[in-house]
Structure formats: C-alpha cells, structure tokens
Amino acid sequence: MKINIIFIALLQCLFLSCNGISKNTVQVPEQLLVSEGFQNPLGFYDATPSFSWKLAPTVKKQMAYAIVVASKPELLPNQPDIWNSGKVTSNQSTFVKYEGKPLKSRQNVFWQVQYWDENDNPSNWSETAQIEMGLLSNSNWKAKWIKIPDPEEWNTTQYGTRLFRPQYLRNDFKLDAEVKKARLYIASKGVFQANINGQKIGNDVLTPGWTPYHKRIETLTYDVTENLQNDKNSIGIILAEGWHSGRFGPRRRWDTVVAPPQVICQLEIEDLKGNVKTIISDKNWKATRKGPIRTSGLYDGEVYDANFEMLNWSQPNFDDSSWETVETEDINLKTQLFPKKQAPLKNKMELQPVQMMQQDDNSVLFDFGQNMVGVVQLNMPVKKGDTLKLRHGEMLDAKGELFTKNLGSAKSIDYYIAKEDKIVTWQPTFTFHGFRYVELSGFNSALKPEKSWVTGLVQYSDFEMEGEFKSSNSKLNQLHSNIQWGLRGNFFDVPLDCPQRSERLGWTGDAQVFIPTSLYLSDTHAFWSAWLTSMREEQFANGGIPVVVPNFTGKFAQAGWSDACTIVPWELYFRTGDKGVLEDNYKMMKRWCAYHTSEATNYISHMSTVGDWLQPYSQQKDDRRGDTPNTLISTVFYAQSVKLTMKAAEILGLNEDKKYYEQLLDSISMAFENEYFNDEGQIKQPYTPTQTGYLLALGFDILSEEKADKAIYHLLKEIEATDNHLRTGFIGTPLLAPVLDKTGHTDKLFEILFKETYPSWFYSINQGATTMWERWDGYTHDNGFADRALSFNHYAYGAIGQWMYERIAGIAPLEAGYKKILFAPMPHLKLKEGSGSYESQYGTIKSSWKFVESDFVYNIRIPPNTSAKIKIPLFSKNSQDVTLNGKSTKFGIEGNTLILDNIYSGSYQFIYKNAK
Ligand code: RAM
C-alpha cells in the first residue's frame, strides 16, 4: 500500500514537471479587459485606456502587478516598446490607468499582465490581448457624407411628416494586390446596414445607435479583410430613418421638416507590401430608393416588397446606370465623428411562440409567452402576391384580439410582399417593436399555420445578463424575471422608458432609480458610461440637464429626473470601482449643483419637478403627479446631488470642493428640516405628508438623527393608514426597501413586498405581468385596461431588484467595485431559501442560504483579491451554535447580527444550528 502511494506521488511529480508546472506556480491572470470592460476591442475609442484582469480563484490577494504594452506581439513581454509599468506594488487589479503616450487613430497595441500573489510569488505572463483604435478625429476622415438627392416633392406619412424611403447606395472598386488587412469605418445620420460583395457586414442591428447627432455621431469599425477579393469589388449600404429622421420623439411625431439620413464610410485596405488604398463615400457613389425596403421607421414598422428586390445589388457587375448620383456634404467640424463607446444592438435571444390562435382563414395570433422587444422573423411558405402583415401588441383585449391602443401613434406593423412562391425567411431591418403577441395575416388561406412560422428575435445592446437570483417564492422569482425582461426590453442603445409606444425616450428619472439594479443584472458599465457621454453633451449652458437624453423634450430641467447626472455617475463608480467615471463626469455634476443653487432661495429649491410620478390614488388634478410637495422633492434632490458631488470630490482628491459641498449640504439639510418637519418629526402644515415625503428625507439621510428617529414613526403611520400598501410613485417606491430595512422595519417591508392586492409588485404579476409595468394596474382581470400610462414594459418599479440582491440574496458592495463585499442576507420566515450570484470585476460572488430543518445553512463565495464582511442574523443568543466550514469560530456581535470581518477569497459554509 505504502509503496503504491509513493509510486503515485512520483508519477504526479513527473507529470507536473513535464508540463512545466511546479507546485508554487501562480496561475496566470485571465479575462484581460480594457476600460469599461472591452475584450480585444477593434475600432476602440479610449486613447488612454485602463486595464483590468482577474486572478485565479485560489489566490487570496495581489501584492503587485506589471503591465507591458508593445506594438508587436513578438516584442512581449521582454521588449515592450509602448509602455512598461514595471513591477508596481499594489493590490489594484481593475482599471489600472495606462500611462504611455496616448494611443493614436488606427494604432494596434498588444498587452500582457503579470501579478504577484499574497506570498509575493509571481504568476507567468498572461496571454496577449490587443487593442486596435478607431478613427479618433474628424481629420482622419477623407470621406464625405452622402445621400440620394432629395425628391422634388416629399412623400408624406399619414401624419403629414416626410417619408424618407430607405436608400440603397453603392460603389464599385478594384483591387490589384493581395489584401493583408482591411477596415471599414462607417457612421450614419439614420441607421445603416453595410454589405461588401453581397455579404452583410457585422451582425449588429440599428447601427450606429443613438447619440445627440448634432454634437457626436458614433462610428463603427469592421474587420472586412475576408470580405474582399481580387480585382472587382463592390460595397453597398442601406440607409433608413432610425432615430435621426422621420417620426420619432414627441415633437417629431408630427413635425414635417427633418433632415434626411446620410451615411459616411471609409474603407482602408492594406496590401501585403504595406500600401494602403482607401475607398471613401464620395460623389462617385450611386443611389436609389427603389429597393425592396419600401419604408421603415422605428414607430411605424417596415414594408418590404420583394418585387423591388435587386439581385446582386451589392456585388460587382451590377448595372446601376439607372441609379442617381449621390449628393455629398463635407464633414461639419462641429459634429464629432467618434468610435462607439459601447457594444451595438444585436439579436440576443430567440423566442418561439408558446401558443397559436387562428382567428380566421388567413389571420393567426401567436403568443410568445413573454413581453419582449425586437422583431419577428418569418419562416414560412408564401405565394406570389401575398401581402403578409405582422401587427404587434403587448396585450390582448377582452375579445382575445390584439390590444394596440397603448402604442399611441406608433403603428408597429411590418409587411412582407411576396413576388414568387417560395419558403421565405425574412425579418425587418430598421425597426423594432415591444410585443408579446403578433398577429399574422395575409397568408394563403389554403395553408394551415404553424408555430414555426414565427420566431421572436430579442434585441438589446450587446451585454451579458449575468446576475442570478432565486428564492423559495415563485412570485418573487417571477418578479426577478420581470425585472430582467424590463432591462432587456429597454436597454436599447440608451436606457428607454418604454419600447413600444410613440415615445421610447431616454428618461433620466427612470434611469437613475434603476441603475443599481441594472448593474446587478448585467454588465452594463459601458452602456451607462456611453449614455453619460450623451448627457454631458446635452447639458445646457446654465448647467441644467434635460429630462430625456438625448434631448427631445426641450430646454428645461426637472428635479428627481435631471439629477440622474449625479446619481448615475456615482452609482456607476461605486458599483464598478471605475474612478474614470467620476473624472469624466465631475464637471457636469458641479455645473448641475450650481444650477440647483440658482433655483433655490434660502436653500429651498423651487426647481420644477415631474413629481412622484404615477403615485397611486393621487389627489392631484393631473393624477399622474403624486401628492408629495414639489419643493420638498426638489430640495431633497438638491441635497442628494450636492452630497454625491461632495463624495466624488473626495474620491478625486479635490479637498476644497469637498469642503464647499459639505457646508452647502449642511445648510440645505438644516433648511429642509426647518421648512418641512415639525418638532415631532412630522411633515408640517401646509405641506401634505406622504409616504414618499418621509422616504425621501430618510432615504437620503437629510434629517438630523433625532428628527429621523421620530420621522420613522410617522412613516409607519402613513403605511398603516393604507393597510400596509405602498402609496409611492417613481421616486418614492425605490426607497421603501432601503428605508424600512435600515430602520429595522423589515417585517413591514416584507408585508408590503408580498402584498397581493393593489398596489403592489405581486398584484401586477397576478394580472399576468411578464415585465415591469408603468402602472401596477395597467391591466386588471376585473376592470380591464387603465385609461393612460399604459406601458407594459417600463423598468422603473424594477428598482426593488437592488434590495432583492442586497438583502434576500445578501450581496452588496461595501467598498467601491466590490473590493470589499458585504454579505448580509436577511432570511425572513416568508422564505425558505434565497440565493444570488453577481459577476464582479474580481470574479463571481455567490451567496445562498436555506433552512434545512431547523438549521440555517449559508454558503458564500468570495472572489480573489477582495475581502468581505459577513453578517448573519443572530437567531439565538448562542453564537456557539454556528460553525464555519465545520469548525467553531469566534464571531463579533453587532445588534442582531453575528459579524465576521476581513475574510479573504474562497468558498465558505456556515451552519447555524437551531435557527428556527
Ligand atoms: C413618461 C415616461 C417616463 C416618465 C416621464 C415623467 O412619459 O414614460 O417613464 O419618467 O413620463
């Protein structure tokens, strides 16, 4: 036996050394990312990127790192000609700033990283990652904007607005040398799809996306090396309205004078000898409006007529002599062309219908079982002359027919007109819809419809949905799923309020309440950061921030909404640890605070506000506005914006600023307390006391401790007066959980959260919600549809997700970016188990608990290079009842919790005997 063991050990030894692995070798860093989470980006935007990597799960801590950057992979790691950080003693493994010369347009660099673990043992160098820059300056563009000449008279839509028929633009060129590398740089005012030699370029949709076009238009970069061929080549672009032209946004729904779409592109082709040939959009291009996509708009849908198909139109040898010569326009220096700062929209998932209901001979209704956003792909037999019609809707009416009233003026109808008998596979290209049901009509009545005819293509910005949440309560799990779908449906290049009606705008208020939840659910760092760029560009000269970004509403700011400009940067920094977010946005935050000050008298703000939007049972004339006094709301947000700017100043080391904001915050808080609260901690006359009024004051910590203690009592009274139901709208609802939790009233919170009656989260679920709704009672089985505010995909009330992760699962950041994690689950008797997982910058964080008979079993996972504080409820006074990984451990006690602090990476199990 002994001999055997020795023999096996010998073998193992041999095996390990053969592979060059010795016991002490530290595993290499993995998942090398730059800036806001980009992996080997092509066409990158950031000339001074930051670097992040993950350590192997077995490592506790990083003691030091080294980064090398070179112009060629073969120079790594020993001859980095671009930048060498040297060995830096630091535990920082995320967002380490590059300190070499700013990277230039088109520059291609390669990098590696190495780290030293807690015993100062070095890892090997990582694999090589790379960055290729896009075109960073307008001066890099030789191309011109092109478009088809305007018609003598515009066709119009039924609303009298100009109809910009999709343009097909093409150009032929010749190559006489073998291609080494080719890049297509492209952008549009409108949305485009590019093709080379008959092949579609890229698999993204509605590019380039949506920014304040008058300031900045995003450019995409594609590697098209493989698409080119010797001799004759052809490039073709389809260009449609998108967000830029046509019917979009409140004013433009009816506006007639909007500029037509334009496109610009530059194809740079390097041959084996290093010669570069550049094909640009210019006067040599030809264009037509007579292509198969007859019309396409974001609100109204797309009409595709196959009779207009132009075989091989983006291939060489196509006869374009009947096409028009394009009009060109020079680049306007005011409008910046800049690489896209986030991943584009993509088809991210496919849904099959769960049910099919034939309505008559040639009309059938499909139910995808899930309210979703994107388009329907058809895969079905067609006969020449068929006009297939796809109508989209989120709900069915009492007769079981498609309900479309809530779409406003958005038609959301797609058509496919067949030119021959065949099996067609088709989907619209330049539109999107919010729907659960689709009605298909116009097919040959001899056919028996099949579910396989339609597939729902779910589209959203290309990020991963990594967060996981589970509990023993199925409605809570459904709520989590609804919140996820709210995110999928509305994170559509910018954070939208809703994806279906004739609105679909980047409402700031909705965004600021939802950002923490969104970051639990998904890797949306770059998404948010890109949106903040647009927000900075939209800031008014007086420091005001519009209520929607990009701005479509006009030149005014509103408290609680425009404050997104301080809340979003702060949350994004705190949850990712990326200081760059604060650096980029600090100036905007400061200017916003100054604007707030200009709207205040004696520290009480008179800035207008949307109010506690859609508070149930509002007594106001416009009942979408809640009862909480406007100036109370505005002053609270004034204080909150000042506080976050103060915190940002502290992180950025701006001490003078920090002091200034500290004092300002004190003055606002004092004025606020005097103005709105009496000695008993009650909202005083003539102001109307509301749940939201108390929640804002307590949630943002504006009251003195003494008043806050008293105010809780009045908040509870307000809640009891409504039979423990919420009476809060968009800005009050997100604060219910944090306030009741931090003041120790979790029983009350669970009661509100688990309510089945109106208004509550579960109430909408009981009415069939598969997404978050704009109103809790948007539809009810008893009364049908509400009168207005009828979006069935509005993520704002999904803000409760943050608390579900923090306290039901038990995962929260204690230090920025989860460098230190707080595990503090709150097992409530309404639940038997709860668990969650979060993909942090350092690796996966897991927390899961359950009751096993009378024991409380709790498992956590702490990723490398972080530490954690663990709080477990003190079920019995006897902390001896708890074991950690099978051994008894010494815990501290804080109030009603057992505490274990400064725990490093690894997996741990706690068992608490006799917890129930
Ligand atoms: C609505 C939007 C949005 C809300 C504003 C005030 O039209 O849907 O959700 O923030 O108004």
Side-chain angles (χ1 to χ4, degrees), residues 234-408:
S234 182
I235 175 165
I237 296 166
I238 320 175
L239 179 62
E241 295 175 337
W243 293 272
H244 177 267
S245 314
R247 269 169 33 77
F248 187 77
R251 274 177 297 156
R252 269 218 260 119
R253 280 191 299 221
W254 325 110
D255 212 349
T256 44
V257 191
V258 180
Q262 292 178 319
V263 67
I264 188 164
C265 74
Q266 189 156 305
L267 174 56
E268 298 184 356
I269 306 155
E270 190 183 327
D271 68 21
L272 293 178
K273 289 194 198 124
N275 299 321
V276 177
K277 181 168 180 150
T278 306
I279 309 295
I280 55 170
S281 50
D282 62 9
K283 62 178 182 359
N284 296 320
W285 287 56
K286 297 293 228 33
T288 183
R289 287 191 188 84
K290 294 184 185 140
I293 306 182
R294 303 303 305 139
T295 63
S296 194
L298 297 184
Y299 287 166
D300 293 331
E302 189 158 304
V303 178
Y304 185 96
D305 187 344
N307 294 298
F308 285 79
E309 277 170 0
M310 306 171 292
L311 198 62
N312 302 332
W313 73 275
S314 64
Q315 303 228 37
N317 300 326
F318 177 81
D319 177 8
D320 62 15
S321 54
S322 66
W323 289 31
E324 296 177 59
T325 297
V326 296
E327 275 175 4
T328 64
E329 192 184 311
D330 288 342
I331 290 177
N332 167 351
L333 288 179
K334 276 198 234 144
T335 306
Q336 195 191 6
L337 288 170
F338 199 70
K340 193 167 177 71
K341 294 176 85 173
Q342 58 163 316
L345 288 156
K346 278 209 166 70
N347 294 323
K348 294 286 292 178
M349 288 170 81
E350 293 189 358
L351 295 187
Q352 303 306 325
V354 293
Q355 229 192 322
M356 183 177 75
M357 297 151 275
Q358 183 130 16
Q359 299 193 306
D360 56 47
D361 273 359
N362 58 10
S363 161
V364 61
L365 198 58
F366 296 95
D367 174 6
F368 287 100
Q370 173 63 55
N371 198 8
M372 58 159 278
V373 174
V375 294
V376 168
Q377 183 180 67
L378 289 176
N379 211 317
M380 61 181 288
V382 289
K383 278 217 161 309
K384 182 177 161 60
D386 283 352
T387 297
L388 303 177
K389 181 176 181 184
L390 287 160
R391 291 172 63 225
H392 303 78
E394 296 184 295
M395 302 291 275
L396 299 183
D397 66 16
K399 287 192 250 152
E401 287 169 8
L402 205 65
F403 177 77
T404 55
K405 192 182 143 215
N406 67 329
L407 303 184

Side-chain angles (χ1 to χ4, degrees), residues 210 248-251 253 299 490-515 527-528 531 535 545-554 556-565 568 608-611 613 624-625 730-731 774 791 793-796:
W210 186 20
F248 187 77
R251 274 177 297 156
R253 280 191 299 221
Y299 287 166
N490 287 295
F491 277 37
F492 208 84
D493 212 54
V494 308
L496 308 178
D497 61 330
C498 60
Q500 73 296 73
R501 68 182 174 216
S502 45
E503 185 162 15
R504 313 186 195 184
L505 299 174
W507 279 94
T508 46
D510 310 42
Q512 64 93 348
V513 298
F514 191 62
I515 180 173
F527 173 86
W528 283 110
W531 188 58
M535 193 183 283
I545 294 283
V547 290
V548 303
V549 172
N551 187 6
F552 264 72
T553 43
F556 61 91
Q558 292 196 296
W561 266 248
S562 308
D563 292 280
C565 74
V568 171
S608 78
T609 172
V610 179
W613 193 244
R624 294 172 306 170
R625 302 190 185 261
F730 275 30
I731 57 175
E774 189 175 15
S791 153
N793 202 349
H794 233 77
Y795 60 64

Side-chain angles (χ1 to χ4, degrees), residues 221-238:
T221 304
Y222 298 102
D223 178 355
V224 294
T225 316
E226 300 298 321
N227 300 85
L228 297 173
Q229 59 203 22
N230 239 335
D231 201 27
K232 289 181 180 174
N233 286 272
S234 182
I235 175 165
I237 296 166
I238 320 175

Side-chain angles (χ1 to χ4, degrees), residues 443-674:
F443 52 86
N444 185 336
S445 48
L447 293 170
K448 205 169 153 319
E450 289 175 22
K451 276 196 210 157
S452 61
W453 283 6
V454 292
T455 302
L457 302 180
V458 180
Q459 299 172 331
Y460 54 95
S461 291
D462 188 17
F463 49 72
E464 296 311 314
M465 298 282 293
E466 291 160 334
E468 284 172 21
F469 173 90
K470 234 178 88 193
S471 76
S472 50
N473 183 293
S474 61
K475 283 193 187 157
L476 203 57
N477 296 343
Q478 182 65 46
L479 174 59
H480 180 257
S481 165
N482 291 5
I483 298 171
Q484 282 183 316
W485 278 98
L487 193 157
R488 283 196 189 101
N490 287 295
F491 277 37
F492 208 84
D493 212 54
V494 308
L496 308 178
D497 61 330
C498 60
Q500 73 296 73
R501 68 182 174 216
S502 45
E503 185 162 15
R504 313 186 195 184
L505 299 174
W507 279 94
T508 46
D510 310 42
Q512 64 93 348
V513 298
F514 191 62
I515 180 173
T517 302
S518 77
L519 290 165
Y520 272 111
L521 298 173
S522 61
D523 174 18
T524 42
H525 184 176
F527 173 86
W528 283 110
S529 182
W531 188 58
L532 284 171
T533 306
S534 298
M535 193 183 283
R536 293 197 294 277
E537 288 161 347
E538 294 287 32
Q539 186 161 32
F540 309 135
N542 65 6
I545 294 283
V547 290
V548 303
V549 172
N551 187 6
F552 264 72
T553 43
K555 217 171 168 185
F556 61 91
Q558 292 196 296
W561 266 248
S562 308
D563 292 280
C565 74
T566 55
I567 299 169
V568 171
W570 177 260
E571 286 293 339
L572 193 53
Y573 156 71
F574 186 63
R575 286 164 192 284
T576 61
D578 181 7
K579 252 197 221 177
V581 175
L582 296 181
E583 283 160 8
D584 290 346
N585 294 291
Y586 184 68
K587 204 167 136 209
M588 166 171 72
M589 298 165 82
K590 261 187 97 159
R591 290 180 60 212
W592 169 245
C593 287
Y595 178 68
H596 248 303
T597 300
S598 75
E599 291 277 287
T601 317
N602 297 329
Y603 305 106
I604 297 298
S605 173
H606 298 283
M607 186 186 288
S608 78
T609 172
V610 179
D612 194 20
W613 193 244
L614 298 183
Q615 172 220 306
Y617 299 111
S618 160
Q619 302 300 313
Q620 306 305 301
K621 215 156 109 211
D622 174 355
D623 71 355
R624 294 172 306 170
R625 302 190 185 261
D627 298 320
T628 305
N630 277 356
T631 59
L632 185 154
I633 294 175
S634 306
T635 307
V636 165
F637 278 98
Y638 179 24
Q640 180 66 357
S641 273
V642 166
K643 188 203 274 176
L644 298 181
T645 309
M646 176 189 85
K647 292 206 279 187
E650 184 175 8
I651 302 294
L652 299 176
L654 303 166
N655 291 333
E656 285 303 302
D657 281 16
K658 189 198 152 206
K659 265 192 240 147
Y660 167 77
Y661 289 118
E662 212 161 26
Q663 278 164 9
L664 182 56
L665 179 60
D666 278 350
S667 308
I668 303 167
S669 307
M670 224 140 61
F672 175 83
E673 186 167 309
N674 288 338

Side-chain angles (χ1 to χ4, degrees), residues 41 75 96 345 506 630 880:
L75 295 177
V96 174
L345 288 156
N630 277 356
Q880 302 296 317

Side-chain angles (χ1 to χ4, degrees), residues 4 138 172 214 245 288 446 496 511 513 521 543 612 639 677 686 689 717 766 776 860 906:
N4 264 347
N138 282 17
D172 294 317
H214 57 292
S245 314
T288 183
L496 308 178
V513 298
L521 298 173
D612 194 20
F677 285 80
K717 279 259 157 270
N766 292 342
W776 310 103
I860 60 170

